[in-house]
Amino acid sequence: MLTTHSHIRAIFDLFSHAGIDAYIVGGAVRDQLLGVPIHDVDFAVDCSPKMTLQLAIDQNVKFVETGLAHGTITLIEGGQSFEVTSFRKDVKTDGRHAETEFGGTIDEDAKRRDFTINALYMNSEGVIIDPLSGIADIKSKRLAFVGDAGARIKEDYLRILRYFRFLAHYDLQTGTEELDAIKELAVGLNRISGERVGHEMRKLLCGEFAYRAINAAKNADVLARIAPSFDVNKLRAWIDYESNHKLPVDWRIRLAASSHDIPQAKWRLSNDEANFIKRLQKASETKHAPAALGHILGYELAHWAVLLRAYQQDALPPANLDNDIARGMAAIFPITGRDLKNIMPEGPELGAIYKTLKRKWLAQDFTLDKDMLIKLAHKILDEAQQ
């Protein structure tokens, strides 16, 4: 049980000794009930953030002022980080940011959360407080907004993407009310920064139920706003191929397999991320053998390019793929531009012949040695002069 963990007990004790109620809140409680791995443990406390800060100072507990203005302080216990947030209630929202007031009750704190399954609280004895019937929704596998779906979305339009991200990672079902509200308010996504869109979509694409979530986003007119060229059927086909051949999940590969136009600006992808995906797509369309791709691209790009090409051709992943790529990476082209200068003057023609020789060397699986390549260069020159 969560509350028996020594570091978690230490956080509870920090507040209980001061007569302050503290609760594990949100994801950790939800994930324990769902039977999935717990990653982060967050707390909600019935005191001001200044009081939390003072307690940490008085008890010599390490802390980081993560979001003091929003009531959140990260306490560090036994090398583990715990976000501790004061009870809050929204005073004013603008569709992305909320003006909050500290204090109130569990019920008030719960009502400002996004989904009922996140509005769950656990006290130090392991008793779960469920003010908004989140447990019932977990049992019925329903992902429901807290209260009125439209009202929750208008408070923060990012909740639209969070909705689909949760669908991607948990075995939950959509509801008509939720999807109708999302469809009606999807235009609000224009107010969300590319960084936030990209953050949510990277996570979404890594989910076990990513196809279900993306398909629901398409039907709710969301996908067209954030990834217009995304093909949900291609995503489903790649996920099936990925599963059948026990390939690791990588959001970049899922995106490359599903979209011909990379949403770099809409998702604010880094140049490295966008270039990786574009080079991967281009490499998967070539006829280069795995070893040749290993020589040209290095391991990661070559590995995924070969697999993506096999998928596109409805073929099995090649046997000995890693060995072939490693062999290509170790291969050294036998000649240099200096070798060619001995038989022809510098200039564009030299560069063109060098590239031709390397293409033939790659096509012949590195079997052409230096003498063969020099002879081939002479032949190319002779034919050009005739």
Side-chain angles (χ1 to χ4, degrees):
M1 182 181 290
L2 278 170
T3 55
T4 61
H5 191 286
S6 61
H7 302 326
I8 292 174
R9 290 297 326 167
I11 301 297
F12 273 122
D13 291 344
L14 176 69
F15 290 97
S16 66
H17 290 162
I20 296 169
D21 291 331
Y23 305 87
I24 298 173
V25 64
V29 186
R30 174 200 68 221
D31 290 349
Q32 178 170 290
L33 291 172
L34 285 167
V36 299
I38 296 169
H39 300 290
D40 300 314
V41 178
D42 300 330
F43 283 81
V45 294
D46 189 11
C47 69
S48 70
K50 288 184 179 179
M51 177 62 76
T52 298
L53 194 60
Q54 192 60 54
L55 284 174
I57 293 170
D58 292 345
Q59 298 301 319
N60 198 30
V61 175
K62 293 182 180 179
F63 64 88
V64 178
E65 295 182 24
T66 314
L68 193 57
H70 303 290
T72 300
I73 296 166
T74 297
L75 301 182
I76 302 170
E77 178 64 39
Q80 188 173 348
S81 297
F82 301 93
E83 282 195 359
V84 177
T85 304
S86 299
F87 280 172
R88 296 175 291 179
K89 50 187 175 183
D90 289 338
V91 176
K92 183 180 178 182
T93 60
D94 63 4
R96 183 62 192 94
H97 303 96
E99 182 181 325
T100 57
E101 186 177 280
F102 302 125
T105 64
I106 278 186
D107 284 355
E108 289 172 321
D109 189 74
K111 287 176 182 177
R112 69 172 304 279
R113 296 182 180 274
D114 49 9
F115 311 119
T116 59
I117 64 172
N118 289 338
L120 295 167
Y121 301 74
M122 180 183 290
N123 68 17
S124 61
E125 302 304 316
V127 176
I128 296 175
I129 297 91
D130 178 19
L132 300 174
S133 301
I135 293 176
D137 286 338
I138 285 176
K139 289 179 178 178
S140 63
K141 296 188 175 182
R142 181 189 177 207
L143 182 59
F145 285 98
V146 167
D148 180 74
R152 294 293 78 71
I153 292 169
K154 288 177 183 177
E155 290 170 352
D156 184 355
Y157 289 102
L158 185 64
R159 286 172 173 167
I160 291 175
L161 298 184
R162 282 176 57 81
Y163 184 84
F164 294 111
R165 194 240 294 177
F166 271 71
L167 286 179
H169 284 270
Y170 298 99
D171 187 14
L172 300 169
Q173 304 297 323
T174 60
T176 301
E177 176 191 347
E178 287 78 19
L179 291 182
D180 285 348
I182 288 171
K183 192 169 186 176
E184 179 183 347
L185 298 170
V187 67
L189 289 170
N190 294 337
R191 304 175 65 176
I192 305 301
S193 70
E195 287 90 350
R196 297 306 303 166
V197 171
H199 178 77
E200 292 295 328
M201 294 305 295
R202 287 176 180 88
K203 288 186 174 182
L204 187 159
L205 283 177
C206 290
E208 180 181 356
F209 309 101
Y211 166 74
R212 179 194 298 174
I214 285 286
N215 195 50
K218 176 186 176 183
N219 293 334
D221 295 341
V222 168
L223 193 60
R225 295 180 182 277
I226 57 175
S229 73
F230 204 102
D231 188 322
V232 294
N233 292 322
K234 288 183 178 179
L235 174 65
R236 183 173 195 170
W238 169 256
I239 290 176
D240 287 344
Y241 188 87
E242 179 185 87
S243 176
N244 291 338
H245 300 291
K246 296 180 174 57
L247 304 179
V249 173
D250 189 313
W251 70 267
R252 300 170 303 171
I253 314 307
R254 288 185 169 185
L255 179 58
S258 309
S259 182
H260 63 80
D261 183 22
I262 306 307
Q264 183 171 6
K266 288 183 179 293
W267 294 15
R268 203 60 62 87
L269 301 180
S270 69
N271 287 334
D272 284 346
E273 289 171 334
N275 289 336
F276 177 92
I277 295 168
K278 290 173 184 176
R279 292 179 69 200
L280 169 63
Q281 290 177 325
K282 185 176 180 180
S284 71
E285 296 168 357
T286 70
K287 296 181 179 179
H288 287 307
L293 285 175
H295 180 83
I296 298 167
L297 302 173
Y299 175 79
E300 186 179 28
L301 262 172
H303 177 84
W304 283 116
V306 174
L307 291 172
L308 190 56
R309 182 169 63 193
Y311 150 74
Q312 292 165 343
Q313 296 173 351
D314 196 24
L316 295 173
N320 303 315
L321 175 57
D322 285 353
N323 289 338
D324 283 341
I325 291 175
R327 183 167 59 83
M329 291 172 64
I332 299 173
F333 190 44
I335 64 171
T336 65
R338 184 177 300 175
D339 295 319
L340 293 181
K341 289 177 187 177
N342 295 327
I343 61 174
M344 62 184 298
E346 285 190 65
E349 189 177 15
L350 185 149
I353 289 179
Y354 182 89
K355 289 180 181 178
T356 298
L357 295 176
K358 190 158 191 179
R359 280 198 301 270
K360 291 184 177 294
W361 177 73
L362 290 169
Q364 294 296 317
D365 196 31
F366 321 124
T367 56
L368 300 178
D369 60 21
K370 183 174 182 178
D371 289 340
M372 292 176 180
L373 290 167
I374 293 295
K375 287 179 182 178
L376 184 56
H378 280 293
K379 182 180 179 182
I380 294 171
L381 279 172
D382 290 344
E383 290 175 349
Q385 292 169 359
Q386 290 177 0

